[in-house]
Amino acid sequence: MYRSSRSKANWVGCSLLCVMACGLSGASIFANTDSGTARDGRTAPVGVIEYDELTPAQNSGIRLLEIVTAVWFFIVGSCVGSFMNVVVYRLPFGMSLTKPKSRCPVCDTPIRRGDNLPLIGWLRLRGRCRTCKAKISPRYPLVEASVGLMVLSLLHIELLSGGANLPWRMPNHYAGVLWIIWYAKWDLIGIYLYHCGLLCILMTAALIETDRRTIPVRPLIGCLLIGLVLPILWPTLHPVPFHTPPWESLDKWQWKWTVEDTIFTPGWDLSIGLSLRGLLDGLVGLSAGALICGLAILMNPFRSENDLSRSTYLCLCALVGVVLGWQATVSAILFSSILRVLLAMVCHCTNWTACLTAGTALQICLGRFLSDLPYWPSHQSEWFVHAGALAGIVVLTRFQRNPAEEASLPVS
């Protein structure tokens, strides 16, 4: 079943207008025309009304804004999940992601715009084609709902909490929809979008592996390049530097331009430029992810010499390293190794990429908590903790079959 993007764009556009209207009205509750926003996110802006001074009507307005914002993020996530269904179906066969338009795979009838809305379209059709009554797989709405819930969950865990889950970075004292989104904290919003993009790519790869098809390497290389370039232009995407404490000399090797936000957050500056630290963070993370995965494949006694999926798994782990940094990559891969062993004991089969996705999600959500554990790999751990984690990954890998053989991926 193909998917079209035009009806989904109209759906997102209308909901965005509603959210913007609620956001502007909600922001006016908190600040008058002379109010400014603190630059460090921890000092109350001038002229701001405290929560305990709000009237019941103002409290209701804020709650309505929170609900509408959450609904909008879920809608956007479900639209992304709908596009992921297209990628999962077409990419392994080298088909175009935009043409032809959405149509029934049985009778080849184009799908109406109203029937192509994420979740709603499948429910309206009751899971069957309007023309030939062929059954439409429930995986389509399940993927759309799963991505929507992922975006919504990370919205509350990472963005609206003020970055409470992020290690090293000081959480914003004033959090919530108004202080983070409508008084935009651009560094935190960038980190949130960066992490959502990583999880969406991993989920797409996991679905392709579930279908027992080969995951293409070329698109992953493109994602790696994008993941490397973004922190160079926006170094705050990596809250944890590759070396702690960070080398102050690297701050001299950056060229940045400051753009003042006069619309959403007057007085809050957005720095964009070229950063050597952002480049090194990405390169060290990429190397760590690729080396850990390569070592695990090398030590796997069931590995195949003709396994073409080997480069795919190297790219996926390298992508995790580029986005999260090398310290979090060790933790994420260790999580995924433990999950694979547990699933193999229960189900006698595992999805390698799905376990990597789950391990990465756990690392993102529990990053600050894990960094406080004394014997779990993090930016605060000693070298022997990371060495022990690497040894644990190798040992756990030796009890698992080759990922391609587990998923029965085609090799040649």
Side-chain angles (χ1 to χ4, degrees):
M1 179 178 180
Y2 297 103
R3 290 286 182 175
S4 175
S5 59
R6 182 179 237 175
S7 59
K8 294 189 283 291
N10 295 333
W11 181 244
V12 174
C14 293
S15 60
L16 177 60
L17 291 177
C18 296
V19 174
M20 289 182 65
C22 293
L24 293 176
S25 60
S28 63
I29 294 175
F30 263 71
N32 56 31
T33 56
D34 298 327
S35 64
T37 306
R39 291 179 178 270
D40 60 356
R42 296 187 293 272
T43 305
V46 178
V48 170
I49 303 174
E50 299 292 340
Y51 270 107
D52 55 4
E53 299 176 3
L54 296 177
T55 63
Q58 290 172 330
N59 275 314
S60 300
I62 294 173
R63 297 296 175 263
L64 178 62
L65 173 62
E66 293 174 348
I67 294 174
V68 173
T69 301
V71 170
W72 184 79
F73 272 83
F74 178 80
I75 291 174
V76 172
S78 64
C79 291
V80 174
S82 181
F83 178 73
M84 286 169 54
N85 282 322
V86 177
V87 176
V88 171
Y89 184 85
R90 301 189 184 188
L91 193 62
F93 297 105
M95 301 169 60
S96 172
L97 301 181
T98 57
K99 296 179 181 180
K101 295 183 179 180
S102 302
R103 59 189 66 242
C104 175
V106 178
C107 64
D108 207 36
T109 302
I111 300 176
R112 301 178 184 179
R113 292 184 181 180
D115 296 338
N116 203 31
L117 294 175
L119 295 174
I120 298 177
W122 190 88
L123 294 175
R124 287 179 59 182
L125 296 174
R126 297 181 180 180
R128 293 189 177 275
C129 174
R130 183 181 293 274
T131 303
C132 67
K133 304 303 180 182
K135 187 176 180 181
I136 302 173
S137 173
R139 191 175 101 168
Y140 291 104
L142 288 176
V143 171
E144 293 163 355
S146 299
V147 179
L149 290 174
M150 181 273 291
V151 171
L152 184 60
S153 300
L154 201 59
L155 169 72
H156 288 85
I157 294 173
E158 184 165 84
L159 190 57
L160 300 187
S161 67
N165 65 310
L166 297 175
W168 186 267
R169 180 187 182 275
M170 181 67 68
N172 293 74
H173 182 68
Y174 291 92
V177 172
L178 287 176
W179 291 118
I180 302 300
I181 297 180
W182 297 105
Y183 285 108
K185 304 303 181 288
W186 292 113
D187 62 330
L188 189 57
I189 293 175
I191 294 172
Y192 167 74
L193 296 176
Y194 202 38
H195 290 170
C196 282
L198 171 64
L199 292 178
C200 287
I201 293 172
L202 292 177
M203 291 175 68
T204 302
L207 290 171
I208 294 176
E209 183 174 344
T210 301
D211 292 339
R212 300 187 176 184
R213 296 172 183 162
T214 302
I215 304 172
V217 177
R218 185 174 298 179
L220 293 179
I221 295 177
C223 293
L224 277 173
L225 294 177
I226 295 174
L228 280 173
V229 170
L230 287 178
I232 298 175
L233 303 177
W234 202 352
T236 55
L237 293 178
H238 284 154
V240 180
F242 74 95
H243 184 274
T244 54
W247 293 335
E248 297 181 358
S249 58
L250 292 178
D251 295 334
K252 301 177 182 178
W253 295 91
Q254 61 179 352
W255 301 266
K256 62 181 180 179
W257 300 268
T258 301
V259 180
E260 184 176 353
D261 181 5
T262 59
I263 300 177
F264 293 97
T265 315
W268 188 280
D269 297 334
L270 174 63
S271 296
I272 302 176
L274 301 176
S275 170
L276 179 60
R277 187 180 78 86
L279 175 62
L280 292 177
D281 288 341
L283 290 177
V284 173
L286 183 150
S287 302
L291 289 174
I292 294 174
C293 183
L295 181 61
I297 292 175
L298 184 64
M299 299 300 294
N300 192 325
F302 302 105
R303 64 190 180 95
S304 171
E305 296 297 333
N306 296 322
D307 185 12
L308 294 182
S309 65
R310 195 177 307 170
S311 56
T312 297
Y313 299 118
L314 286 173
C315 288
L316 289 173
C317 289
L319 183 62
V320 174
V322 167
V323 176
L324 300 185
W326 74 269
Q327 303 98 326
T329 301
V330 177
S331 175
I333 297 179
L334 179 59
F335 264 132
S336 66
S337 300
I338 296 173
L339 290 174
R340 287 201 304 275
V341 171
L342 294 177
L343 287 178
M345 294 172 60
V346 176
C347 306
H348 304 289
C349 64
T350 59
N351 185 311
W352 192 93
T353 313
C355 292
L356 179 63
T357 305
T360 303
L362 286 174
Q363 173 59 37
I364 292 175
C365 296
L366 303 176
R368 182 175 293 273
F369 169 77
L370 295 174
S371 65
D372 294 332
L373 297 180
Y375 296 110
W376 188 266
S378 69
H379 67 280
Q380 300 187 105
S381 303
E382 299 291 341
W383 66 269
F384 59 84
V385 176
H386 291 284
L390 184 59
I393 293 172
V394 172
V395 171
L396 292 173
T397 302
R398 292 188 63 83
F399 290 98
Q400 304 163 27
R401 296 195 63 81
N402 182 274
E405 294 178 1
E406 291 176 349
S408 297
L409 296 177
V411 294
S412 59

